[in-house]
PDB file of all heavy atoms in Angstrom:
ATOM      1  N   CYS A  58     100.421 111.088 107.562  1.00 98.00           N
ATOM      2  CA  CYS A  58      99.720 110.571 108.750  1.00 98.00           C
ATOM      3  C   CYS A  58      98.210 110.555 108.559  1.00 98.00           C
ATOM      4  O   CYS A  58      97.454 110.648 109.519  1.00 98.00           O
ATOM      5  CB  CYS A  58     100.149 111.301 110.019  1.00 98.00           C
ATOM      6  SG  CYS A  58      99.851 113.052 110.005  1.00 98.00           S
ATOM      7  N   ILE A  99     107.920 112.785 110.931  1.00 98.00           N
ATOM      8  CA  ILE A  99     106.890 112.523 109.909  1.00 98.00           C
ATOM      9  C   ILE A  99     107.371 113.187 108.625  1.00 98.00           C
ATOM     10  O   ILE A  99     107.642 114.397 108.603  1.00 98.00           O
ATOM     11  CB  ILE A  99     105.503 113.081 110.283  1.00 98.00           C
ATOM     12  CG1 ILE A  99     105.057 112.566 111.660  1.00 98.00           C
ATOM     13  CG2 ILE A  99     104.472 112.688 109.219  1.00 98.00           C
ATOM     14  CD1 ILE A  99     103.692 113.108 112.126  1.00 98.00           C
ATOM     15  N   THR A 109      97.770 114.723 106.414  1.00 98.00           N
ATOM     16  CA  THR A 109      98.362 115.502 107.518  1.00 98.00           C
ATOM     17  C   THR A 109      97.561 115.513 108.814  1.00 98.00           C
ATOM     18  O   THR A 109      98.039 116.012 109.826  1.00 98.00           O
ATOM     19  CB  THR A 109      98.502 116.985 107.081  1.00 98.00           C
ATOM     20  OG1 THR A 109      97.221 117.440 106.626  1.00 98.00           O
ATOM     21  CG2 THR A 109      99.523 117.145 105.980  1.00 98.00           C
ATOM     22  N   PHE A 110      96.346 114.984 108.781  1.00 96.00           N
ATOM     23  CA  PHE A 110      95.485 115.155 109.962  1.00 96.00           C
ATOM     24  C   PHE A 110      96.095 114.436 111.168  1.00 96.00           C
ATOM     25  O   PHE A 110      96.825 113.477 111.015  1.00 96.00           O
ATOM     26  CB  PHE A 110      94.069 114.642 109.663  1.00 96.00           C
ATOM     27  CG  PHE A 110      93.026 115.380 110.453  1.00 96.00           C
ATOM     28  CD1 PHE A 110      92.731 116.693 110.153  1.00 96.00           C
ATOM     29  CD2 PHE A 110      92.370 114.764 111.505  1.00 96.00           C
ATOM     30  CE1 PHE A 110      91.778 117.389 110.897  1.00 96.00           C
ATOM     31  CE2 PHE A 110      91.415 115.455 112.251  1.00 96.00           C
ATOM     32  CZ  PHE A 110      91.117 116.761 111.947  1.00 96.00           C
ATOM     33  N   TYR A 111      95.818 114.942 112.344  1.00 97.00           N
ATOM     34  CA  TYR A 111      96.333 114.373 113.614  1.00 97.00           C
ATOM     35  C   TYR A 111      97.844 114.541 113.773  1.00 97.00           C
ATOM     36  O   TYR A 111      98.438 113.938 114.672  1.00 97.00           O
ATOM     37  CB  TYR A 111      96.005 112.869 113.751  1.00 97.00           C
ATOM     38  CG  TYR A 111      94.538 112.513 113.669  1.00 97.00           C
ATOM     39  CD1 TYR A 111      94.034 111.804 112.579  1.00 97.00           C
ATOM     40  CD2 TYR A 111      93.653 112.862 114.691  1.00 97.00           C
ATOM     41  CE1 TYR A 111      92.688 111.459 112.507  1.00 97.00           C
ATOM     42  CE2 TYR A 111      92.313 112.511 114.622  1.00 97.00           C
ATOM     43  CZ  TYR A 111      91.837 111.810 113.537  1.00 97.00           C
ATOM     44  OH  TYR A 111      90.517 111.457 113.452  1.00 97.00           O
ATOM     45  N   MET A 112      98.495 115.302 112.902  1.00 98.00           N
ATOM     46  CA  MET A 112      99.964 115.400 113.014  1.00 98.00           C
ATOM     47  C   MET A 112     100.416 115.911 114.376  1.00 98.00           C
ATOM     48  O   MET A 112     101.442 115.477 114.902  1.00 98.00           O
ATOM     49  CB  MET A 112     100.549 116.252 111.874  1.00 98.00           C
ATOM     50  CG  MET A 112     100.052 117.671 111.810  1.00 98.00           C
ATOM     51  SD  MET A 112     100.560 118.468 110.245  1.00 98.00           S
ATOM     52  CE  MET A 112     102.191 119.007 110.681  1.00 98.00           C
ATOM     53  N   LYS A 113      99.622 116.805 114.968  1.00 97.00           N
ATOM     54  CA  LYS A 113     100.014 117.369 116.275  1.00 97.00           C
ATOM     55  C   LYS A 113      99.964 116.310 117.379  1.00 97.00           C
ATOM     56  O   LYS A 113     100.574 116.487 118.426  1.00 97.00           O
ATOM     57  CB  LYS A 113      99.097 118.530 116.648  1.00 97.00           C
ATOM     58  CG  LYS A 113      99.342 119.791 115.811  1.00 97.00           C
ATOM     59  CD  LYS A 113      98.664 121.002 116.446  1.00 97.00           C
ATOM     60  CE  LYS A 113      98.850 122.269 115.654  1.00 97.00           C
ATOM     61  NZ  LYS A 113      97.807 122.500 114.641  1.00 97.00           N
ATOM     62  N   GLU A 114      99.206 115.230 117.151  1.00 97.00           N
ATOM     63  CA  GLU A 114      99.126 114.191 118.188  1.00 97.00           C
ATOM     64  C   GLU A 114     100.404 113.346 118.280  1.00 97.00           C
ATOM     65  O   GLU A 114     100.574 112.590 119.221  1.00 97.00           O
ATOM     66  CB  GLU A 114      97.902 113.305 117.959  1.00 97.00           C
ATOM     67  CG  GLU A 114      96.631 114.110 118.151  1.00 97.00           C
ATOM     68  CD  GLU A 114      95.403 113.257 118.354  1.00 97.00           C
ATOM     69  OE1 GLU A 114      95.519 112.110 118.833  1.00 97.00           O
ATOM     70  OE2 GLU A 114      94.313 113.758 118.017  1.00 97.00           O
ATOM     71  N   PHE A 115     101.265 113.502 117.287  1.00 98.00           N
ATOM     72  CA  PHE A 115     102.580 112.837 117.366  1.00 98.00           C
ATOM     73  C   PHE A 115     103.538 113.878 117.923  1.00 98.00           C
ATOM     74  O   PHE A 115     104.270 114.544 117.203  1.00 98.00           O
ATOM     75  CB  PHE A 115     102.976 112.321 115.980  1.00 98.00           C
ATOM     76  CG  PHE A 115     101.992 111.320 115.446  1.00 98.00           C
ATOM     77  CD1 PHE A 115     100.949 111.706 114.610  1.00 98.00           C
ATOM     78  CD2 PHE A 115     102.066 109.993 115.840  1.00 98.00           C
ATOM     79  CE1 PHE A 115     100.018 110.783 114.147  1.00 98.00           C
ATOM     80  CE2 PHE A 115     101.137 109.063 115.383  1.00 98.00           C
ATOM     81  CZ  PHE A 115     100.117 109.451 114.546  1.00 98.00           C
ATOM     82  N   LYS A 116     103.490 114.031 119.247  1.00 97.00           N
ATOM     83  CA  LYS A 116     104.045 115.253 119.818  1.00 97.00           C
ATOM     84  C   LYS A 116     105.565 115.280 119.877  1.00 97.00           C
ATOM     85  O   LYS A 116     106.140 116.332 120.114  1.00 97.00           O
ATOM     86  CB  LYS A 116     103.404 115.557 121.165  1.00 97.00           C
ATOM     87  CG  LYS A 116     103.489 114.478 122.225  1.00 97.00           C
ATOM     88  CD  LYS A 116     102.799 115.001 123.494  1.00 97.00           C
ATOM     89  CE  LYS A 116     103.117 114.134 124.696  1.00 97.00           C
ATOM     90  NZ  LYS A 116     102.441 112.809 124.607  1.00 97.00           N
ATOM     91  N   ASN A 117     106.206 114.148 119.655  1.00 98.00           N
ATOM     92  CA  ASN A 117     107.679 114.155 119.636  1.00 98.00           C
ATOM     93  C   ASN A 117     108.246 114.189 118.215  1.00 98.00           C
ATOM     94  O   ASN A 117     109.454 114.030 118.031  1.00 98.00           O
ATOM     95  CB  ASN A 117     108.212 112.927 120.373  1.00 98.00           C
ATOM     96  CG  ASN A 117     107.821 112.965 121.839  1.00 98.00           C
ATOM     97  OD1 ASN A 117     107.859 114.030 122.464  1.00 98.00           O
ATOM     98  ND2 ASN A 117     107.420 111.827 122.387  1.00 98.00           N
ATOM     99  N   TYR A 120     108.731 117.447 111.592  1.00 98.00           N
ATOM    100  CA  TYR A 120     108.046 117.280 110.307  1.00 98.00           C
ATOM    101  C   TYR A 120     108.975 117.649 109.156  1.00 98.00           C
ATOM    102  O   TYR A 120     109.687 118.643 109.220  1.00 98.00           O
ATOM    103  CB  TYR A 120     106.819 118.191 110.245  1.00 98.00           C
ATOM    104  CG  TYR A 120     105.878 118.070 111.422  1.00 98.00           C
ATOM    105  CD1 TYR A 120     105.371 119.223 112.039  1.00 98.00           C
ATOM    106  CD2 TYR A 120     105.479 116.833 111.916  1.00 98.00           C
ATOM    107  CE1 TYR A 120     104.491 119.127 113.113  1.00 98.00           C
ATOM    108  CE2 TYR A 120     104.610 116.733 112.987  1.00 98.00           C
ATOM    109  CZ  TYR A 120     104.113 117.890 113.591  1.00 98.00           C
ATOM    110  OH  TYR A 120     103.253 117.797 114.656  1.00 98.00           O
ATOM    111  N   GLU A 149      91.026 125.313 110.711  1.00 96.00           N
ATOM    112  CA  GLU A 149      92.480 125.479 110.808  1.00 96.00           C
ATOM    113  C   GLU A 149      93.172 124.231 110.292  1.00 96.00           C
ATOM    114  O   GLU A 149      92.859 123.108 110.720  1.00 96.00           O
ATOM    115  CB  GLU A 149      92.876 125.737 112.255  1.00 96.00           C
ATOM    116  CG  GLU A 149      94.344 126.072 112.391  1.00 96.00           C
ATOM    117  CD  GLU A 149      94.704 126.570 113.787  1.00 96.00           C
ATOM    118  OE1 GLU A 149      94.975 125.718 114.655  1.00 96.00           O
ATOM    119  OE2 GLU A 149      94.706 127.808 113.989  1.00 96.00           O
ATOM    120  N   ALA A 150      94.099 124.416 109.370  1.00 97.00           N
ATOM    121  CA  ALA A 150      94.856 123.288 108.825  1.00 97.00           C
ATOM    122  C   ALA A 150      95.702 122.668 109.932  1.00 97.00           C
ATOM    123  O   ALA A 150      96.143 123.358 110.852  1.00 97.00           O
ATOM    124  CB  ALA A 150      95.746 123.759 107.682  1.00 97.00           C
ATOM    125  N   PRO A 151      95.943 121.353 109.849  1.00 97.00           N
ATOM    126  CA  PRO A 151      96.709 120.669 110.902  1.00 97.00           C
ATOM    127  C   PRO A 151      98.101 121.250 111.116  1.00 97.00           C
ATOM    128  O   PRO A 151      98.630 121.204 112.222  1.00 97.00           O
ATOM    129  CB  PRO A 151      96.822 119.230 110.382  1.00 97.00           C
ATOM    130  CG  PRO A 151      95.728 119.080 109.387  1.00 97.00           C
ATOM    131  CD  PRO A 151      95.463 120.427 108.812  1.00 97.00           C
ATOM    132  N   PHE A 152      98.700 121.812 110.058  1.00 97.00           N
ATOM    133  CA  PHE A 152     100.098 122.269 110.174  1.00 97.00           C
ATOM    134  C   PHE A 152     100.231 123.701 110.664  1.00 97.00           C
ATOM    135  O   PHE A 152     101.336 124.206 110.808  1.00 97.00           O
ATOM    136  CB  PHE A 152     100.817 122.106 108.819  1.00 97.00           C
ATOM    137  CG  PHE A 152     100.019 122.599 107.639  1.00 97.00           C
ATOM    138  CD1 PHE A 152      99.969 123.952 107.351  1.00 97.00           C
ATOM    139  CD2 PHE A 152      99.306 121.705 106.849  1.00 97.00           C
ATOM    140  CE1 PHE A 152      99.222 124.416 106.278  1.00 97.00           C
ATOM    141  CE2 PHE A 152      98.550 122.153 105.770  1.00 97.00           C
ATOM    142  CZ  PHE A 152      98.506 123.521 105.485  1.00 97.00           C
ATOM    143  N   ILE A 153      99.095 124.367 110.933  1.00 97.00           N
ATOM    144  CA  ILE A 153      99.175 125.746 111.435  1.00 97.00           C
ATOM    145  C   ILE A 153      99.662 125.723 112.890  1.00 97.00           C
ATOM    146  O   ILE A 153      99.196 124.920 113.700  1.00 97.00           O
ATOM    147  CB  ILE A 153      97.801 126.450 111.331  1.00 97.00           C
ATOM    148  CG1 ILE A 153      97.382 126.565 109.862  1.00 97.00           C
ATOM    149  CG2 ILE A 153      97.824 127.825 112.009  1.00 97.00           C
ATOM    150  CD1 ILE A 153      98.288 127.411 108.993  1.00 97.00           C
ATOM    151  N   GLY A 154     100.600 126.614 113.205  1.00 95.00           N
ATOM    152  CA  GLY A 154     101.119 126.687 114.578  1.00 95.00           C
ATOM    153  C   GLY A 154     102.278 125.728 114.823  1.00 95.00           C
ATOM    154  O   GLY A 154     102.697 125.546 115.959  1.00 95.00           O
ATOM    155  N   CYS A 155     102.788 125.110 113.765  1.00 95.00           N
ATOM    156  CA  CYS A 155     103.886 124.138 113.922  1.00 95.00           C
ATOM    157  C   CYS A 155     105.154 124.617 113.223  1.00 95.00           C
ATOM    158  O   CYS A 155     106.033 123.799 112.926  1.00 95.00           O
ATOM    159  CB  CYS A 155     103.502 122.792 113.314  1.00 95.00           C
ATOM    160  SG  CYS A 155     102.028 122.064 113.987  1.00 95.00           S
ATOM    161  N   ARG A 158     108.507 123.302 114.074  1.00 98.00           N
ATOM    162  CA  ARG A 158     108.729 121.843 114.078  1.00 98.00           C
ATOM    163  C   ARG A 158     109.018 121.299 112.689  1.00 98.00           C
ATOM    164  O   ARG A 158     109.232 120.105 112.518  1.00 98.00           O
ATOM    165  CB  ARG A 158     107.509 121.139 114.666  1.00 98.00           C
ATOM    166  CG  ARG A 158     107.406 121.389 116.170  1.00 98.00           C
ATOM    167  CD  ARG A 158     106.170 120.783 116.754  1.00 98.00           C
ATOM    168  NE  ARG A 158     106.149 119.330 116.644  1.00 98.00           N
ATOM    169  CZ  ARG A 158     105.133 118.586 117.048  1.00 98.00           C
ATOM    170  NH1 ARG A 158     104.073 119.163 117.587  1.00 98.00           N
ATOM    171  NH2 ARG A 158     105.169 117.273 116.922  1.00 98.00           N
TER     172      ARG A 158
END
Side-chain angles (χ1 to χ4, degrees):
C58 60
I99 306 178
T109 54
F110 210 71
Y111 303 111
M112 60 191 276
K113 288 194 181 90
E114 294 197 26
F115 299 94
K116 56 179 193 289
N117 296 320
Y120 308 135
E149 187 170 86
F152 46 80
I153 297 297
C155 302
R158 289 176 64 182

